[in-house]
Amino acid sequence: MSNIRDAAYMIAAILFIVGVMRLRTPATARSGNLLAAVGMLIAVVFTVIGASVGNILLLVIVFVVGAVIGTYSSRAVKMTAMPQMVAAFNGMGGGAAAMIALSEALQALGHGSYPGLSQAVPGLFDMLVGSISFSGSIIAFLKLQEWMPSRAMSFKGQNAVNAVILIVLVLLAIYIPFQPSILLDWILIAGSVILGVMFVVPVGGADMPVIIALLNAFTGIAAAAAGFVLQNDVLIVAGALVGSSGTILTLIMSRAMNRSIFNVLFSAFGSKVTATGTSERGEIHPTNAEEVAMLCAYAQRVVIVPGYGLAVARAQQECKDLMDLLSSRGVDVRFAIHPVAGRMPGHMNVLLAEANVPYDRLYDMDDINPEFQRTDVVLVIGANDVVNPDARENPGSPIYGMPILNVDQAKTVIVNKRSMAAGFAGIDNPLFFKQNTKMFFGDAKGALQSLVSAIKEEVA
Amino acid sequence: MHVSLLQELFFFVLAVFTGWSLITKVPPVLHTPLMSATNAIHGVLVVGALIVVFTAAGPSQIIVAALALFLATLNVVGGFVVTDRMLEMFRKSPNEKGQAAK
């Protein structure tokens, strides 16, 4: 029986790997996810039929309740809220890893024998890392959902305090195998939960994708550790797979923001307002729908830069309408996608795809940047930090060195914002005060609607 | 100590290398779905949770094991559904004048 189960686990592991492989190109991505899900089903089914099953009623009830809540919440969530949803589910996984380890410890003590080191060590690792991933992900969720302030919050010496907590927890984990006790296990878990909170609270909202990617890798490693605890190969293989691919993904993401991972984690980026005063920036130039309509309707090329503000206002469809209208007049309309537009890499692509904007209109930063000099009108909708010229020109700026979209090189830049409030990273943007920049205030959805109707009137 | 620890480490190391080499040239478009999909894959914790539920005896063991199963189920089911919803979006593109998706 265990041979059949192991064979099923092998098939599951292969399906996970092939699934991730297919997730690397848009055309095959969906089938990749499906294959991985099939692998998961196989692993679950053969776990159930391959073991001496107890508590079957409880098992079914808990599983069904979990599955219903999981399905319902992931179906109901808006596309704009996807990043925090991923964070929440990742946290659940971290918590599960910690509880599996605790459960094993309870059962071993119940039999009067604490497990050997080869199981005790990964078990304690699970309690530590799984709990950090759990509470850290919850904080990431709360920040992205804006149920708590999304800006970076920290106190002086927080990194040192975190380091001390970590060292104490590690020492506790080393001590536990000599004096096995469930109370100490609980203390380890509680301390790790606190550390997870302390670790993510200082990270600003703009950096949250990197943190979620990192915590995702953490949970992967925790799953592998749970595999060592339970001597279960599919947990080891799938966990290690996610742990390493998640780590790479984390590095890729922080590289896209030109920040080292250490900088993201420990600098409390954006927690302090920069000294550069706004007073010397000059005046802004407000504009209205009619003027923007004229500029766009008679332009040869219009580049739209969508940001999170567009997603929040749910104005993707209006964006598409504007594109269709201008295209029908022979205007070359393109979308410039910054690698971290939205709140996760690729998030904006997902949102625009939802509104049926074709792929070939979406340009990555490196492809569109040389084109701005030949662009008549750039329409910045709800984006801020990714078009901030300070990143290029002002070595004193906290985002100096981050690659940006060089929209200020276009003839005219129209910036749609609700107000003059600072962006997600909480820093000034001199773009708004430039001579060739016009500020088009208003909610993205309403502003685009009035723009579309203004163009229709203008050229009728 | 059980005999297969070395074999388990062997699997672990190979899987780490596999994951490492899989993610190199992924377009930024797919970073979010990829993160989401790997998030679902570590939902394999549900297998571990099932095993501890099978063998749980007595109230405290059962509560902890059931909690593990509940959390892991949320992770795995929610993870795959969310990823599928994201990727569903990518399907619709090539219908304009026969343009192929990039």
Side-chain angles (χ1 to χ4, degrees), chain A residues 153-448:
Chain A
M153 292 181 288
S154 65
F155 54 84
K156 210 162 186 265
Q158 176 155 9
N159 287 338
V161 173
N162 286 359
V164 170
I165 297 178
L166 179 63
I167 290 168
V168 170
L169 290 173
V170 169
L171 289 177
L172 176 63
I174 292 172
Y175 176 73
I176 288 177
F178 298 102
Q179 203 68 48
S181 130
I182 293 304
L183 178 66
L184 289 181
D185 285 344
W186 274 116
I187 293 174
L188 178 63
I189 289 172
S192 307
V193 166
I194 292 169
L195 182 59
V197 173
M198 301 270 290
F199 170 65
V200 177
V201 165
V203 178
D207 284 337
M208 216 37 91
V210 181
I211 290 299
I212 298 173
L214 184 70
L215 293 174
N216 184 40
F218 274 20
T219 311
I221 301 288
F228 283 101
V229 173
L230 300 168
Q231 299 173 12
N232 183 296
D233 294 336
V234 76
L235 274 168
I236 293 175
V237 170
L241 190 69
V242 175
S244 62
S245 61
T247 306
I248 292 287
L249 202 55
T250 311
L251 296 176
I252 291 177
M253 284 184 186
S254 48
R255 204 179 302 141
M257 296 196 281
N258 199 27
R259 319 248 330 263
S260 83
I261 181 70
F262 294 102
N263 193 281
V264 170
L265 295 179
F266 303 120
S267 69
F269 180 73
S271 63
K272 43 195 179 292
V273 181
T274 41
T276 46
T278 40
S279 53
E280 80 232 42
R281 300 284 193 183
E283 291 187 359
I284 59 165
H285 314 279
T287 185
N288 54 34
E290 286 69 31
E291 191 186 1
V292 180
M294 288 288 279
L295 283 166
C296 290
Y298 297 103
Q300 286 193 327
R301 178 184 290 164
V302 173
V303 174
I304 300 174
V305 179
Y308 191 70
L310 175 123
V312 170
R314 303 187 60 73
Q316 302 96 296
Q317 192 53 49
E318 284 70 16
C319 233
K320 164 84 156 79
D321 295 344
L322 178 66
M323 180 194 83
D324 289 341
L325 184 60
L326 290 175
S327 298
S328 70
R329 291 184 46 81
V331 181
D332 174 14
V333 184
R334 301 178 176 191
F335 287 84
I337 311 291
H338 189 273
V340 293
R343 284 188 183 175
M344 271 198 186
H347 191 202
M348 196 49 65
N349 307 64
V350 173
L351 294 173
L352 289 173
E354 190 187 15
N356 288 325
V357 174
Y359 284 151
D360 57 357
R361 296 296 186 96
L362 308 184
Y363 287 75
D364 286 340
M365 180 174 64
D366 293 338
D367 297 328
I368 197 78
N369 261 344
E371 305 290 323
F372 281 118
Q373 282 164 346
R374 293 187 291 276
T375 298
D376 302 300
V377 179
V378 171
L379 208 53
V380 178
I381 304 169
N384 189 342
D385 300 323
V386 298
V387 294
N388 189 336
D390 264 0
R392 208 175 52 220
E393 291 157 3
N394 179 1
S397 168
I399 58 166
Y400 181 68
M402 181 176 102
I404 57 157
L405 294 162
N406 299 320
V407 296
D408 52 330
Q409 292 170 355
K411 279 197 199 111
T412 307
V413 182
I414 314 283
V415 178
N416 168 247
K417 270 172 73 63
R418 272 187 303 191
S419 69
M420 284 302 291
F424 210 43
I427 45 186
D428 284 340
N429 191 342
L431 173 72
F432 304 155
F433 305 97
K434 294 214 168 191
Q435 277 304 323
N436 60 339
T437 302
K438 294 177 191 297
M439 301 302 292
F440 181 25
F441 289 112
D443 167 74
K445 196 180 184 89
L448 283 171

Side-chain angles (χ1 to χ4, degrees), chain A residues 12-255:
Chain A
I14 292 171
L15 287 174
F16 294 155
I17 293 169
V18 175
V20 173
M21 251 158 142
R22 295 181 73 82
L23 273 152
R24 297 181 301 182
T25 52
T28 56
R30 196 173 183 211
S31 69
N33 184 53
L34 224 62
L35 280 181
V38 169
M40 193 64 71
L41 189 68
I42 292 174
V44 167
V45 167
F46 281 87
T47 302
V48 174
I49 59 178
S52 50
V53 178
N55 303 315
I56 195 76
L57 181 67
L58 173 84
L59 186 149
V60 171
I61 292 171
V62 172
F63 187 80
V64 168
V65 171
V68 168
I69 296 176
T71 309
Y72 175 77
S73 51
S74 49
R75 286 244 158 254
V77 66
K78 289 187 202 132
M79 272 296 157
T80 46
M82 281 300 173
Q84 54 263 49
M85 209 62 208
V86 174
F89 289 136
N90 179 58
M92 300 302 110
M99 288 302 109
I100 288 170
L102 182 66
S103 191
E104 268 300 287
L106 273 169
Q107 294 183 19
L109 281 180
H111 297 134
S113 66
Y114 208 71
L117 281 185
S118 66
Q119 283 164 277
V121 171
L124 293 162
F125 180 86
D126 261 336
M127 294 180 203
L128 183 72
V129 174
S131 306
I132 290 175
S133 180
F134 172 73
S135 60
S137 300
I138 302 288
I139 297 294
F141 170 83
L142 293 175
K143 283 194 165 210
L144 287 173
Q145 190 72 19
E146 291 177 355
W147 288 352
M148 68 181 277
S150 67
R151 72 195 157 78
M153 292 181 288
S154 65
F155 54 84
K156 210 162 186 265
Q158 176 155 9
N159 287 338
V161 173
N162 286 359
V164 170
I165 297 178
L166 179 63
I167 290 168
V168 170
L169 290 173
V170 169
L171 289 177
L172 176 63
I174 292 172
Y175 176 73
I176 288 177
F178 298 102
Q179 203 68 48
S181 130
I182 293 304
L183 178 66
L184 289 181
D185 285 344
W186 274 116
I187 293 174
L188 178 63
I189 289 172
S192 307
V193 166
I194 292 169
L195 182 59
V197 173
M198 301 270 290
F199 170 65
V200 177
V201 165
V203 178
D207 284 337
M208 216 37 91
V210 181
I211 290 299
I212 298 173
L214 184 70
L215 293 174
N216 184 40
F218 274 20
T219 311
I221 301 288
F228 283 101
V229 173
L230 300 168
Q231 299 173 12
N232 183 296
D233 294 336
V234 76
L235 274 168
I236 293 175
V237 170
L241 190 69
V242 175
S244 62
S245 61
T247 306
I248 292 287
L249 202 55
T250 311
L251 296 176
I252 291 177
M253 284 184 186
S254 48
R255 204 179 302 141

Side-chain angles (χ1 to χ4, degrees), chain B residues 13-68:
Chain B
V13 171
L14 285 184
V16 165
F17 277 107
T18 308
W20 196 268
S21 54
L22 273 177
I23 314 297
T24 41
K25 296 181 287 283
V26 181
V29 190
L30 284 171
H31 285 173
T32 298
L34 193 64
M35 188 202 297
S36 180
T38 52
N39 173 49
I41 291 174
H42 67 52
V44 72
L45 280 159
V46 75
V47 166
L50 285 170
I51 294 172
V52 293
V53 168
F54 291 154
T55 50
S60 65
Q61 290 182 18
I62 284 180
I63 290 170
V64 172
L67 184 58

